[in-house]
Amino acid sequence: MPTVSNEEAKADVPERSEAAAATGRLTRMLESDFLHAFLRSRVTVVAACGTLTLFLLAFLAPWIAPHDPFDLASISILDARVPPIWMEYSDPRFPLGTDDQGRDLLSGIFYGMRISLIVGFCSVAAAAVIGITLGLVAGYAGGRVDALIMRIADVQLTFPAILIALLIDGVANGIFGSLDRDVFAFYILIVALALSFWVQYARTVRGSTMVEKNKEYVQAARVIGLPPVIIMARHILPNVMGPVMVIATINLALAIVTEATLSFLGVGMPPTQPSLGTLIAIGNDFLYSGEWWIAIFPGLALALLVLNVNLLGDWLRDALNPKLR
């Protein structure tokens, strides 16, 4: 009968402990109220599956799209305004038809959704960083610092987000007017959206910070001499991230809609890098001339994307609210 040496037995102990810890974490996750609430809501499960499907279609576009709408060598103007495959004079190469430049609409939707999501994620992340930082500083420092940051936030709240984005876009065009705008359009759009949405994060984090800073664990951190930056980052920030996650989820849908609106107005993504808003703007010129598919299909994709993300955001808000459990 084979024997096991002491060294082999000792080496096997950490592996077993790690496996047991992983199994315990998986069991706790499966038995958690959070997962139970998610699986109990059929609408949320459908919304999560729809969101995941749209995300995969967007970010896997270079591999699953039938055509590359950015490859000018593969685009022919002779294929312009081809109807969807179930209509007369259609082309099986273009299941949803083509736009006015001969680009495959299905591929354009995949790539356009990808651009819209990247702009949305980047702008929401930037807005969250700005808002969380200012909210922590305002709530922890108080006094004049708090008053200054909150008065700036109050002034910005008097203007719609779309107006702030248009103003920032105009200022950027004035600064970079002599350069190619198409090169900077993506980054200008992210900055404009980030500076439009930071206020909600700042006000929410400020209120939570004012509550947390008077608790015993923060007082203990002050007593042992930790600097304010460490206290805010290590102790207060993890306890105020719940509401921030809800705001970020809802703001992702708002950022996508705002980006689509700006692109529709001609101050967002250029036609050479079409987002969903740009595709809708292109199709709007042909909506009443019979080529309805150029605007309708990107509009449906935008509506589905925003609807699914909003449903997830609403569920997350209710799931993280202990009063609604």
Side-chain angles (χ1 to χ4, degrees):
M1 184 173 180
T3 58
V4 179
S5 62
N6 292 333
E7 289 76 10
E8 293 177 349
K10 292 179 181 179
D12 190 44
V13 170
E15 295 180 0
R16 291 181 179 178
S17 60
E18 291 178 2
T23 303
R25 286 194 295 267
L26 180 61
T27 303
R28 287 193 298 270
M29 184 183 69
L30 294 176
E31 295 176 352
S32 65
D33 294 338
F34 194 80
L35 182 61
H36 176 69
F38 173 77
L39 296 177
R40 189 176 58 183
S41 176
R42 296 182 180 179
V43 174
T44 305
V45 173
V46 172
C49 293
T51 303
L52 179 61
T53 301
L54 293 174
F55 279 24
L56 290 176
L57 291 176
F59 291 106
L60 296 179
W63 297 277
I64 65 176
H67 306 275
D68 185 357
F70 299 151
D71 185 9
L72 299 180
S74 63
I75 299 174
S76 175
I77 195 65
L78 298 176
D79 296 325
R81 291 182 279 181
V82 172
I85 195 171
W86 60 85
M87 296 179 63
E88 192 177 3
Y89 306 115
S90 63
D91 190 326
R93 295 178 299 164
F94 312 115
L96 297 183
T98 60
D99 61 7
D100 62 323
Q101 300 180 29
R103 294 179 294 196
D104 176 44
L105 203 56
L106 180 62
S107 303
I109 290 174
F110 288 170
Y111 277 88
M113 194 158 48
R114 184 187 186 194
I115 293 177
S116 296
L117 284 173
I118 292 175
V119 171
F121 276 117
C122 292
S123 60
V124 166
V129 171
I130 297 171
I132 291 172
T133 302
L134 294 178
L136 283 172
V137 172
Y140 189 84
R144 294 182 179 180
V145 175
D146 178 28
L148 176 62
I149 295 175
M150 288 300 103
R151 294 301 76 77
I152 295 174
D154 292 339
V155 170
Q156 182 163 336
L157 283 176
T158 60
F159 299 96
I162 187 70
L163 185 59
I164 297 293
L166 286 171
L167 177 62
I168 295 172
D169 182 83
V171 172
N173 286 336
I175 297 174
F176 302 105
S178 59
L179 301 175
D180 186 5
R181 185 187 181 281
D182 292 356
V183 177
F184 298 95
F186 178 80
Y187 304 101
I188 293 173
L189 200 54
I190 291 175
V191 172
L193 293 176
L195 295 180
S196 301
F197 292 124
W198 69 269
V199 175
Q200 297 180 13
Y201 298 95
R203 292 170 66 91
T204 302
V205 172
R206 170 190 177 261
S208 300
T209 302
M210 294 179 68
V211 174
E212 295 295 328
K213 74 175 183 179
N214 294 319
K215 293 186 177 180
E216 294 180 355
Y217 72 93
V218 177
Q219 302 286 351
R222 290 175 179 170
V223 169
I224 62 177
L226 290 179
V229 175
I230 300 298
I231 295 176
M232 287 187 288
R234 184 183 298 175
H235 299 284
I236 297 179
L237 180 59
N239 293 298
V240 301
M241 286 302 293
V244 170
M245 295 300 296
V246 177
I247 296 174
T249 305
I250 297 175
N251 272 0
L252 176 60
L254 290 176
I256 293 173
V257 171
T258 306
E259 181 276 325
T261 305
L262 292 173
S263 298
F264 183 83
L265 295 175
V267 295
M269 297 302 296
T272 56
Q273 303 177 38
S275 66
L276 291 178
T278 309
L279 293 174
I280 296 173
I282 294 173
N284 185 62
D285 297 333
F286 304 94
L287 189 59
Y288 297 104
S289 61
E291 291 84 8
W292 50 268
W293 57 86
I294 304 178
I296 294 299
F297 289 135
L300 288 176
L302 177 64
L304 285 174
L305 180 61
V306 173
L307 176 63
N308 287 323
V309 174
N310 271 332
L311 288 175
L312 285 179
D314 291 341
W315 170 81
L316 188 62
R317 178 194 58 200
D318 296 340
L320 294 177
N321 189 348
K323 295 181 180 179
L324 299 177
R325 291 179 182 174

